[in-house]
Amino acid sequence: FRAAARHRQRNGAGLDGGGLHIERSGLQVVSCLVASNSVNGSTARGSGIYITDGAPVISRTSLRCNSNINSLGDGGAIYADNGTYLMVDSCLISSNSSKANNRDDAAGIRLDAVNKGKIFNCLVLSNDNTAANGTDGISVTGIKPTMGESIVIQNTTVANNYGRGLHVTNLSITVTNCIFWDNTLDMLAYIGTPINVYYSDVQNASVTNSVGCKSADPVFVGESYYLDQGSSPCVDAGGSSSTNS
C-alpha cells in the first residue's frame, strides 16, 4: 500500500486484523487511512492492523476510530507480536478503543514479544480503553530484544488519552524527545525494569531513569497537538542525537 488514496475503512472481522492482517511480510503501509474497523472474536487483536512475525513499516498513516467489540480484544489501532520488527513513522493514532481489562492491553498500540520496534514522529491521542485497568496509549510487553536491538519511542506526543499514556512490563525500553501530557491516569507506568527517559516532557511524573526531563505545559496549538513555536518550552529542547521530523 503506497498511495494516499489507498485505505481500509469500515471493515469487521472475527479474528485478528480488522483493517489489515500482516503475517511474515515486510509490507510498507504508506500514506494510508485505516479507520472505523473492528474485531469481535473472543480474543481478537488489532482492530486496525494486526502484525505477526514480519518486518513491516507503517508510515505517514492515520489510524483512527478502530475498536475492539469483545471485552478480551486488544490493540485498538495496532497489535504486533511474535518476533516482529516494526517501524511506525509519522503516524496519527487517534480515537481508537479497546475493552480489555488488563494493564498490558492497549487501545492505541500494543507491542507484545516483538524483537525490535521504533515508534517515532507520531501523535498518539485520545485513545480509550474503557476497562478500568487497561492502557489507553501504548503498551509494551513480553519483549526480549536480541543483542544490539531495542525498543525505542522517539519524537512522539502521547496526549489526552483516557487513562495511561505508556505502560511497560518487565523490560527496558528507551523514550527520547517525547511529550506525555493530559493523559487522565498515569503518564508513564511500568512493572519491573524502569523506563529510560531522555529529554522528554512528562506531566506530574517522577521518572526514575531520566536525563534532561521536565514537567512543563508544552503549550499545544489548539487541538492539533503541535507545539506553539513562540512559547512552548519543548521547542529545541530535545537531545541532539534524535531524528527530527
Side-chain angles (χ1 to χ4, degrees):
F1 284 30
R2 292 187 62 85
R6 301 293 181 89
H7 65 277
R8 296 299 301 273
Q9 190 169 16
R10 299 189 181 91
N11 299 293
L15 299 176
D16 300 325
L20 289 173
H21 182 115
I22 303 171
E23 186 169 348
R24 299 179 183 177
S25 171
L27 178 70
Q28 296 186 38
V29 180
V30 181
S31 299
C32 291
L33 168 66
V34 182
S36 303
N37 303 288
S38 63
V39 291
N40 56 19
S42 61
T43 57
R45 299 162 295 179
S47 303
I49 301 176
Y50 173 78
I51 305 158
T52 185
D53 194 18
V57 176
I58 304 171
S59 178
R60 301 194 302 277
T61 287
S62 177
L63 297 102
R64 63 175 188 258
C65 301
N66 300 287
S67 63
N68 287 315
I69 296 172
N70 191 279
S71 62
L72 297 180
D74 188 13
I78 299 172
Y79 187 105
D81 69 3
N82 193 31
T84 297
Y85 288 67
L86 175 64
M87 180 178 292
V88 183
D89 172 23
S90 303
C91 290
L92 171 65
I93 312 295
S94 176
S95 302
N96 302 283
S97 64
S98 176
K99 297 180 180 179
N101 193 23
N102 187 300
R103 284 175 179 264
D104 294 341
D105 301 327
I109 301 174
R110 169 77 185 275
L111 304 183
D112 181 26
V114 307
N115 281 342
K116 184 176 182 179
K118 188 170 185 179
I119 300 168
F120 65 109
N121 296 339
C122 291
L123 294 172
V124 182
L125 310 173
S126 304
N127 300 287
D128 186 10
N129 189 326
T130 59
N133 293 319
T135 292
D136 301 77
I138 302 170
S139 175
V140 187
T141 63
I143 298 172
K144 298 180 179 179
T146 57
M147 186 174 295
E149 296 174 345
S150 62
I151 309 302
V152 175
I153 303 173
Q154 181 175 305
N155 286 16
T156 288
T157 295
V158 181
N160 197 39
N161 297 285
Y162 295 93
R164 293 182 183 86
L166 169 65
H167 180 78
V168 180
T169 298
N170 293 331
L171 65 141
S172 177
I173 75 166
T174 299
V175 172
T176 304
N177 289 9
C178 291
I179 298 171
F180 291 84
W181 204 263
D182 277 344
N183 303 293
T184 58
L185 192 57
D186 302 318
M187 300 300 124
L188 306 175
Y190 64 89
I191 297 174
T193 307
I195 304 166
N196 300 307
V197 185
Y198 304 103
Y199 302 101
S200 295
D201 190 4
V202 184
Q203 183 180 17
N204 299 332
S206 176
V207 183
T208 302
N209 290 359
S210 67
V211 175
C213 293
K214 61 169 64 74
S215 179
D217 186 344
V219 191
F220 296 123
V221 178
E223 295 183 359
S224 71
Y225 291 93
Y226 294 107
L227 301 177
D228 187 310
Q229 295 297 302
S231 59
S232 173
C234 299
V235 174
D236 296 329
S240 60
S241 63
S242 68
T243 302
N244 294 313
S245 57

